[in-house]
């Protein structure tokens, strides 16, 4: 009898819980999901060139009349980022009772991998630059390897290495660190157009004034050394010592110094 009573009590409790859940779901649907008060009436979309506002609406299914409680902003954000590699950020915010704002930001290329449309963003992600962006980013630096063709699949995130880079990927990431450092450090005024990573001793660069700049791979193995080398280049380019010379060699050992010449 006790066992039968216990089973009956358990079943009764489960039935009550199920009824409560059904009741709550009904109230949720009635008060929120099916309430016309919470249907989208103000939809604001800001995009770049990777996707138009119309394409964002088609991808997410958002439009006027969609209920604010019928979708997850976080899931739609992930859907946008997964669908389009050329988009780096997406924000979807709801404002009761009837407004949704979508902000989509395009991925920005900072380094071109050879004379192609394959590029890296500042975090090392490989993607294809859109034809619509060709003019806007035509001046971004180009990295080349005279020994081996640079060929990374789109969607791959390149990884740097500690110490002196010897692999193609490691050297490209050191170049990326160099460009990011120039961008973030106002005191370093160097405008890099071309980088050659094929030499095992030197990282070779060409700036916008057509100077050849050589850094020694082993001497720029960490951020502090790289910053010091770039600051030396910046100081020399702004001084009189470089006049009449076209080549700059930076050496940090045994003491930091710069040698300028006609070519070496």
């Amino acid at each position: 009898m006790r066992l039968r009573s216990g089973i009956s009590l358990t079943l009764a409790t489960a039935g009550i819980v199920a009824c409560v859940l059904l009741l709550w779901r009904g109230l949720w649907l009635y008060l929120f999901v099916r309430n016309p008060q919470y249907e989208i009436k103000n939809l604001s979309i800001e995009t770049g060139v990777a996707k138009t506002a119309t394409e964002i609406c088609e991808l997410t299914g958002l439009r006027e009349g969609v209920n604010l409680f019928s979708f997850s902003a976080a899931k739609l954000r992930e859907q946008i980022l997964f669908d389009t590699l050329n988009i780096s950020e997406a924000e979807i915010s709801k404002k009761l009772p009837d407004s949704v704002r979508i902000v989509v930001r395009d991925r920005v290329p900072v380094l071109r991998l050879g004379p192609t449309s394959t590029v890296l963003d500042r975090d090392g992600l490989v993607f294809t630059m859109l034809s619509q962006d060709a003019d806007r980013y035509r001046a971004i630096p180009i990295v080349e390897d005279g020994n081996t063709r640079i060929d990374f699949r789109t969607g791959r995130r390149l990884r740097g290495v500690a110490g002196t880079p010897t692999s193609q990927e490691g050297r490209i990431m050191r170049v990326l660190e160099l460009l990011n450092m120039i961008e973030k450090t106002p005191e370093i005024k160097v405008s890099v157009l071309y980088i050659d990573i094929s030499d095992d001793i030197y990282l070779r660069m060409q700036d916008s004034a057509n100077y050849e700049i050589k850094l020694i791979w082993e001497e720029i193995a960490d951020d502090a050394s790289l910053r010091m080398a770039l600051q030396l280049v910046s100081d020399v380019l702004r001084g009189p010592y470089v006049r009449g010379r076209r080549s700059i060699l930076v050496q940090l050992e045994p003491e930091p110094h710069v040698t300028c010449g006609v070519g070496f």
Side-chain angles (χ1 to χ4, degrees):
M1 287 293 294
R2 291 182 178 178
L3 179 59
R4 185 175 297 175
S5 298
I7 293 174
S8 299
L9 180 60
T10 300
L11 291 175
T13 303
I16 293 172
V17 171
C19 289
V20 170
L21 290 175
L22 287 173
L23 178 61
W24 168 247
R25 178 173 174 77
L27 287 172
W28 172 263
L29 291 173
Y30 176 75
L31 294 176
F32 299 103
V33 179
R34 295 178 181 171
N35 190 336
Q37 180 181 357
Y38 300 117
E39 292 178 354
I40 298 176
K41 297 181 180 63
N42 301 297
L43 178 58
S44 170
I45 303 177
E46 299 177 22
T47 67
V49 300
K51 288 285 187 184
T52 65
T54 299
E55 289 172 329
I56 292 295
C57 288
E58 293 174 350
L59 177 62
T60 60
L62 294 182
R63 61 187 185 281
E64 291 187 7
V66 172
N67 189 284
L68 264 66
F69 292 95
S70 66
F71 65 91
S72 166
K75 289 182 179 179
L76 291 185
R77 173 185 177 275
E78 292 301 319
Q79 184 176 343
I80 292 173
L81 296 177
F82 179 80
D83 178 82
T84 310
L85 189 61
N86 288 70
I87 291 176
S88 63
E89 297 179 44
E91 301 173 5
I92 302 178
S93 56
K94 305 177 184 180
K95 184 178 180 181
L96 295 176
D98 56 12
S99 299
V100 173
R101 183 169 182 260
I102 304 174
V103 179
V104 173
R105 296 182 178 88
D106 289 351
R107 197 173 298 280
V108 177
V110 298
L111 180 63
R112 190 190 299 267
L113 302 181
T116 69
S117 58
T118 304
V119 292
L120 291 183
D121 71 357
R122 61 171 52 87
D123 297 318
L125 185 79
V126 183
F127 67 105
T128 302
M129 183 166 59
L130 299 172
S131 58
Q132 304 96 301
D133 282 331
D135 286 339
R136 182 164 47 153
Y137 296 114
R138 65 179 179 273
I140 65 172
I142 299 175
V143 61
E144 289 192 312
D145 185 344
N147 299 321
T148 308
R149 178 171 174 250
I150 300 175
D151 186 17
F152 297 105
R153 63 173 176 81
T154 56
R156 176 176 173 179
R157 191 177 298 277
L158 303 190
R159 304 295 180 185
V161 294
T164 302
T166 56
S167 67
Q168 184 185 76
E169 180 174 348
R171 289 179 178 178
I172 290 175
M173 284 304 294
R174 187 56 48 85
V175 169
L176 186 63
E177 291 164 7
L178 178 151
L179 296 175
N180 286 338
M181 189 171 292
I182 292 174
E183 181 187 5
K184 296 176 182 178
T185 312
E187 297 82 12
I188 298 176
K189 301 186 182 301
V190 182
S191 178
V192 179
L193 294 182
Y194 175 82
I195 308 103
D196 180 3
I197 61 170
S198 57
D199 195 298
D200 290 335
I201 305 298
Y202 300 110
L203 182 159
R204 300 174 182 267
M205 301 184 293
Q206 184 178 15
D207 78 340
S208 58
N210 205 32
Y211 285 103
E212 181 190 11
I213 302 164
K214 296 167 65 176
L215 309 180
I216 299 174
W217 285 115
E218 288 187 351
E219 295 183 354
I220 54 170
D222 55 64
D223 288 350
S225 299
L226 182 59
R227 183 177 290 104
M228 182 185 298
L230 288 173
Q231 190 63 64
L232 285 171
V233 173
S234 178
D235 293 344
V236 167
L237 288 175
R238 287 183 289 175
Y241 184 55
V242 77
R243 292 174 184 170
R245 300 173 173 88
R246 304 313 303 171
S247 298
I248 301 170
L249 171 62
V250 177
Q251 294 173 278
L252 301 182
E253 297 177 0
E255 295 292 335
H257 66 284
V258 177
T259 303
C260 297
V262 177
F264 43 73

